[in-house]
Amino acid sequence: MMRKIGLLVLVLVLLGGMTAGAEELRVYTWSEYMDEEKMPADFEEKFGIKVRLDIYENNEEMVAKLQAGGASQYDIIVPSDYIMPVLINQKLIQPLDHAKIPNLKNLKPLFREASYDPGNKYSVAYQWGTVGLMYRKEKVSDAAAQSWSVLFDAAKQPGAFWLIDSVREMMGIALVYQGKDFNSTNPADLKAAADLLVATKRTKNCMGFKPGVGGKNDVVAGTAVAAIVYNGDAIQSVTEEPDKLGFIIPNEGSEIWYDSMCIPSKAPNPDAAHKWINWILEPEVGAELSNYNQFATPNAAAEAFITPEDLKNPGIYPTPAIMKKLYFTKDLGKENRIMDEAWTRAKSH
């Protein structure tokens, strides 16, 4: 009897090992950045590879996870442009095999020659967009939303609001509101920007700092009247309730960004990761992605399949006039330390 039980245990262990060995792709990405049920299921159906998603809310959280061993746990990450030099310099991501990504040809030229990664050696553009002000129209007039003063000037604040919990976006917006360079590393500029955020945080209406998705959710629920958010997060809700909700890039300016797909340096399944990247670059898949999350596609071949209303929506595809007041976030190299110190003071005071 004991031998039979022992044999049964052995069989179960072997079966467990076989199940555990099923091919898997681990994707570490932003929350609400794809249809989290349909797209992984579609990929699994096509390639027989199960997709597991883990979520982060900002680039710094993602980098810290990779530095703490995540570079050997994940196959795909989706970093923003400004954090890419850190990932490359610290060897946290690996070069891509372009022979396995024939759909690279679908990318628009703008997204093939990033200053930090010319020729897409390490990265492939995923989505691009902006950061702006989402607001409830019964509390904030369209005219008031034209300026960041609606948040930064205590006399103009319309009610409870959130600042965005992301260092470069929030510091950059504070800088341009004060007439400075979005990417300034001048200590006096950064001190003034941090002082502005501290003063704003101390007003009775400011609820503090929150990631973009959380801020968006609170504006939709009515627990906040405004929040600084990523455009795609806002547009989904604004499209559903255009009479109640608005989204705008205030006149002083804001950030334009793009996120890319990369493969961590010690990814357990780099072959599946290349399949994922090439699949996302399929015209119909790229369009499905953007039609769902309402961020702009970097994929020229996908535009034929994008919802026509979205292509005409300046909240998703900014007009030339809006583009003039948008700034890419630059890697600051060693000067990142000064920025981080100012941000730490803004958050802790």
Side-chain angles (χ1 to χ4, degrees), residues 20-150:
E23 195 172 358
E24 184 176 86
L25 177 78
R26 295 194 64 183
V27 179
Y28 193 31
T29 186
W30 302 79
S31 62
E32 299 186 13
Y33 214 7
M34 69 172 86
D35 186 327
E36 293 176 7
E37 292 185 8
K38 185 176 186 303
M39 291 198 80
D42 288 349
F43 183 80
E44 183 176 356
E45 185 179 348
K46 180 164 184 175
F47 295 101
I49 300 170
K50 188 171 182 60
V51 179
R52 281 182 57 186
L53 295 182
D54 274 4
I55 301 301
Y56 56 86
E57 296 292 354
N58 60 59
N59 287 288
E60 291 70 28
E61 177 188 342
M62 177 268 295
V63 171
K65 185 83 171 273
L66 291 190
Q67 291 168 331
S72 61
Q73 295 173 13
Y74 297 108
D75 302 301
I76 290 284
I77 56 170
V78 190
S80 299
D81 39 25
Y82 77 87
I83 209 81
M84 282 294 303
V86 173
L87 295 169
I88 294 169
N89 293 336
Q90 294 190 14
K91 297 184 168 53
L92 291 169
I93 53 177
Q94 61 180 267
L96 302 173
D97 182 350
H98 285 195
K100 294 179 179 177
I101 316 173
N103 286 331
L104 264 178
K105 66 181 186 295
N106 292 339
L107 278 186
K108 294 180 181 180
L110 172 67
F111 300 101
R112 287 195 229 171
E113 291 302 323
S115 59
Y116 53 79
D117 186 25
N120 302 103
K121 182 178 178 183
Y122 291 97
S123 64
V124 175
Y126 179 76
Q127 300 279 262
W128 66 276
T130 60
V131 175
L133 181 71
M134 183 179 179
Y135 57 99
R136 294 195 68 86
K137 291 187 172 182
E138 78 269 18
K139 296 287 188 180
V140 183
S141 70
D142 291 342
Q146 297 279 346
S147 171
W148 288 117
S149 64
V150 74

Side-chain angles (χ1 to χ4, degrees), residues 150-170:
V150 74
L151 304 186
F152 294 137
D153 183 339
K156 296 182 179 178
Q157 290 171 353
F161 65 88
W162 287 107
L163 302 172
I164 193 166
D165 189 11
S166 189
V167 48
R168 296 301 302 280
E169 286 89 342
M170 194 64 257

Side-chain angles (χ1 to χ4, degrees), residues 94-316:
Q94 61 180 267
L96 302 173
D97 182 350
H98 285 195
K100 294 179 179 177
I101 316 173
N103 286 331
L104 264 178
K105 66 181 186 295
N106 292 339
L107 278 186
K108 294 180 181 180
L110 172 67
F111 300 101
R112 287 195 229 171
E113 291 302 323
S115 59
Y116 53 79
D117 186 25
N120 302 103
K121 182 178 178 183
Y122 291 97
S123 64
V124 175
Y126 179 76
Q127 300 279 262
W128 66 276
T130 60
V131 175
L133 181 71
M134 183 179 179
Y135 57 99
R136 294 195 68 86
K137 291 187 172 182
E138 78 269 18
K139 296 287 188 180
V140 183
S141 70
D142 291 342
Q146 297 279 346
S147 171
W148 288 117
S149 64
V150 74
L151 304 186
F152 294 137
D153 183 339
K156 296 182 179 178
Q157 290 171 353
F161 65 88
W162 287 107
L163 302 172
I164 193 166
D165 189 11
S166 189
V167 48
R168 296 301 302 280
E169 286 89 342
M170 194 64 257
M171 289 294 291
I173 287 168
L175 285 162
V176 295
Y177 174 69
Q178 295 177 315
K180 307 300 182 183
D181 178 357
F182 187 91
N183 292 289
S184 177
T185 55
N186 180 304
D189 292 350
L190 292 174
K191 180 182 184 305
D195 287 347
L196 174 66
L197 295 178
V198 170
T200 303
K201 201 170 68 167
R202 289 176 176 169
T203 63
K204 70 179 194 310
N205 291 307
C206 184
M207 296 195 286
F209 299 93
K210 200 166 197 176
V213 170
K216 176 266 296 187
N217 289 339
D218 283 355
V219 175
V220 171
T223 53
V225 303
I228 301 175
V229 303
Y230 299 104
N231 63 318
D233 296 333
I235 296 298
Q236 293 177 44
S237 301
V238 171
T239 303
E240 291 168 10
E241 297 188 285
D243 298 333
K244 293 183 179 179
L245 302 171
F247 175 82
I248 194 170
I249 306 292
N251 289 330
E252 295 90 354
S254 187
E255 181 192 48
I256 180 173
W257 51 266
Y258 70 90
D259 293 342
S260 296
M261 296 174 284
C262 301
I263 304 177
S265 54
K266 299 174 182 175
N269 198 345
D271 189 57
H274 282 88
K275 286 188 172 79
W276 175 268
I277 292 171
N278 195 61
W279 180 71
I280 292 289
L281 289 173
E282 291 281 349
E284 294 90 342
V285 177
E288 181 186 340
L289 179 68
S290 288
N291 288 338
Y292 174 81
N293 64 33
Q294 291 190 288
F295 287 108
T297 182
N299 186 334
E303 285 192 351
F305 304 95
I306 296 287
T307 306
E309 293 77 18
D310 285 358
L311 281 177
K312 296 178 205 158
N313 187 335
I316 304 174

